Amino acid sequence: MDLFTAVETRRSVKHYDVSEKMTSSEFNQLIQATMLSPTSYNIQHWRFLRVTDSRLRSRLKDAAWGQQQVEDASELIILCADINAWKDRPERYWADAPREARELLVPMLTDFYRDKPQLQRDEAIRSCGLAAQTMMLAAKALGYDTGALVGFDSNKVAELINLPEGYLIGMMIVVGKASKAANGRGGQLALGEVLFENQF
């Protein structure tokens, strides 16, 4: 699918056909594409938790205040991030780069994030956002619909998935085939309200 068509036709779908399943090949293609998402200093904060256990899906639906798509979609992926990835063996993020680049970038990365907890958290959230959009557009290109969910009890979800210390939950993403089309767009702001040049 053409990228601009994917952008224009991707919608947040709430109702999924439970009989439609993603193939393992399609799922792998989806994740491989998502892993190409950009991250600051190539840190790759994101951690993708694929939920395949139907009982856990049911409990997660309850934690998401009964949103049925959590249970019905072909795939449920909880997009998390390791806030402390910046200091977890940072040399591995540049393992394939020339030695000169590694020697420059690894200390630079460490100096940039050290003692800045808000920046560390912000960066993890940014990484989740970039990965989420890549995932949803890649799914659309594969012929699947998606929805990004933030309406859930994050403490309960963290408990259910045994979220590691130092990780955050960015969002849940459901992937599948719509059983009911999304509602029409609610309305876009005028370009003049969102686009500025040089200064506000």
Side-chain angles (χ1 to χ4, degrees), residues 10-21 57 67-75 136 139 143-149 172-182:
R10 191 220 62 80
R11 301 302 312 285
S12 294
V13 168
K14 308 287 188 200
H15 305 279
Y16 289 86
D17 183 341
V18 296
S19 69
E20 291 281 354
K21 300 297 176 193
R57 283 250 206 142
Q67 294 184 74
Q68 192 61 43
Q69 65 266 41
V70 171
E71 217 168 24
D72 290 350
S74 177
E75 297 290 342
M136 291 187 288
Y144 287 90
D145 299 296
T146 56
L149 287 69
M172 294 184 189
I173 296 181
V174 289
V175 183
K177 299 276 181 130
S179 63
K180 179 180 172 186

Side-chain angles (χ1 to χ4, degrees), residues 122-184:
D122 290 350
E123 204 62 71
I125 291 286
R126 275 191 282 271
S127 293
C128 281
L130 289 163
Q133 187 66 8
T134 301
M135 180 177 286
M136 291 187 288
L137 291 176
K140 193 64 182 172
L142 288 167
Y144 287 90
D145 299 296
T146 56
L149 287 69
V150 294
F152 52 83
D153 180 334
S154 57
N155 291 327
K156 184 64 176 171
V157 171
E159 177 188 324
L160 287 169
I161 66 172
N162 195 28
L163 187 72
E165 176 122 9
Y167 280 41
L168 57 78
I169 299 171
M171 66 195 78
M172 294 184 189
I173 296 181
V174 289
V175 183
K177 299 276 181 130
S179 63
K180 179 180 172 186
N183 294 329

Side-chain angles (χ1 to χ4, degrees), residues 3-190:
L3 174 62
F4 287 95
T5 303
V7 170
E8 289 167 12
T9 59
R10 191 220 62 80
R11 301 302 312 285
S12 294
V13 168
K14 308 287 188 200
H15 305 279
Y16 289 86
D17 183 341
V18 296
S19 69
E20 291 281 354
K21 300 297 176 193
M22 232 182 173
T23 67
S24 59
S25 172
E26 289 171 326
F27 182 80
N28 287 335
Q29 189 176 5
L30 178 69
I31 293 300
Q32 291 297 324
T34 304
M35 288 177 62
L36 297 176
S37 302
T39 57
S40 177
Y41 287 101
N42 200 36
I43 294 172
Q44 303 162 70
H45 302 78
W46 10 256
R47 302 294 180 263
F48 309 106
L49 182 68
R50 181 186 192 188
V51 183
T52 56
D53 183 288
S54 59
R55 288 170 298 179
L56 179 56
R57 283 250 206 142
S58 179
R59 295 177 73 190
L60 288 165
K61 180 186 81 173
D62 292 341
W65 306 310
Q67 294 184 74
Q68 192 61 43
Q69 65 266 41
V70 171
E71 217 168 24
D72 290 350
S74 177
E75 297 290 342
L76 172 64
I77 300 149
I78 304 179
L79 183 46
C80 304
D82 179 358
I83 299 169
N84 298 309
W86 65 275
K87 65 179 178 180
D88 181 11
R89 297 163 290 144
E91 64 281 356
R92 66 193 170 131
Y93 307 133
W94 295 96
D96 298 331
R99 183 175 54 82
E100 298 80 18
R102 283 198 311 274
E103 290 176 354
L104 174 72
L105 289 165
V106 173
M108 189 184 295
L109 178 165
T110 305
D111 291 343
F112 188 69
Y113 290 106
R114 184 189 295 116
D115 300 324
K116 298 174 189 160
Q118 186 64 53
L119 179 60
Q120 294 162 19
R121 184 176 178 81
D122 290 350
E123 204 62 71
I125 291 286
R126 275 191 282 271
S127 293
C128 281
L130 289 163
Q133 187 66 8
T134 301
M135 180 177 286
M136 291 187 288
L137 291 176
K140 193 64 182 172
L142 288 167
Y144 287 90
D145 299 296
T146 56
L149 287 69
V150 294
F152 52 83
D153 180 334
S154 57
N155 291 327
K156 184 64 176 171
V157 171
E159 177 188 324
L160 287 169
I161 66 172
N162 195 28
L163 187 72
E165 176 122 9
Y167 280 41
L168 57 78
I169 299 171
M171 66 195 78
M172 294 184 189
I173 296 181
V174 289
V175 183
K177 299 276 181 130
S179 63
K180 179 180 172 186
N183 294 329
R185 292 189 185 275
Q188 297 297 122
L189 293 174

